[in-house]
Every structure is written in C-alpha cells, then in structure tokens.
Amino acid sequence: MGRKTEQNFRVIHRYLGFFLAGIMIVYAISGIVLTFRNTDYLQKEIQIEKNLKPNIASYDLGKALGKDRFSVDKEEGGLIYFQGGTYDQKTGIAKYTEKKLPILLEKMNNIHKMHSGNPLFLLGIFFAISLLFFAVSAFWMFRPTTSVFKKGLYFTAGGIVLTLILLFV
C-alpha cells in the first residue's frame, strides 16, 4: 500500500482510538461489575411493594412479578412465600426485597448486555465494527518489513491463542 493510504489509516486510527477510549472505559467498568453479578458486590437492598391482581396461582406468580428463575418456598394461609418476599392472594399485594446496582452501573451493564431488541443496538454494532477496524488498522502503524511489525504479529497470534484457550477452559 502507498504512503497516502498508510497515512490515512494512521489518522483514522488515531481519532477513532480517542473516541473509542471513552466507550471502552464504560465497557471495561461494566465488564468488571458483570464479573461479580453472582455476588452482592456493590448492590443495595431495595424494598418493593407491587399491587397485583388477587388470587394469582403460585405457578403464575413469577411471571406476574417479572422474575426469572422464580420458585415458591411455601403456601400458607393465603400467603405465598418466595425468596425475599410474600404475596397475599386475598389482597394481591406482593412485598419483597431485591438487590440492585446503583442506577449508573445498572445502565452501563444494560449497554454491555445489549441485544437486537434494544433500541440502542446499532450503537453496539457500531462499537464492534469500530473495534474491528481499530484492531486491523493497527497493522498499518508499522511497515511490514520492520521488526516491530513482525513482533506485533507474534503478539497478535498469542492473543488469539490465549482467547481460544480461555474459550475451552
């Protein structure tokens, strides 16, 4: 490739890198927080009271509360007991506690776990394509004949191999 193409890749790589740095900071922080999602780390306990319709059967209660992996502990005297709370079948009132992250961390995690149904999914696709360009354009930072470029290929191969190993461990 010519010197002009190399220079264009350098300029785009530089400014895209600065732009992506902000996004990568958010993804890095939410990735660290997500690593601890099976613990109570940084979570606060919140008391919730919901008015549902009365007489919901125990097998439909999880869906009515919008909870995945819901299980009933016991039913007694018109009360349904579940982890962290109760539901009164007569009044329709469910009282329970949930542990939630602070709102900013929760929003950051939602971006990290984005899917195609999310209104911001195009941001995720843009970010992924930008990172791909950023990684590939790094190879235009050095001439292929230099030792830095050749060593860079070894580091790239090492990163790919390490990732493949981690995928199967």
Side-chain angles (χ1 to χ4, degrees), residues 3 6 10 138-154:
R3 204 124 168 91
E6 183 180 310
R10 283 176 175 261
F139 292 99
W140 275 270
M141 297 292 121
F142 304 96
R143 295 207 175 269
T145 56
T146 63
S147 65
V148 173
F149 182 84
K150 291 173 185 169
K151 287 177 187 174
L153 290 177
Y154 289 124

Side-chain angles (χ1 to χ4, degrees), residues 14 44 66 101:
R14 179 186 325 134
K44 294 180 181 177
L101 289 169

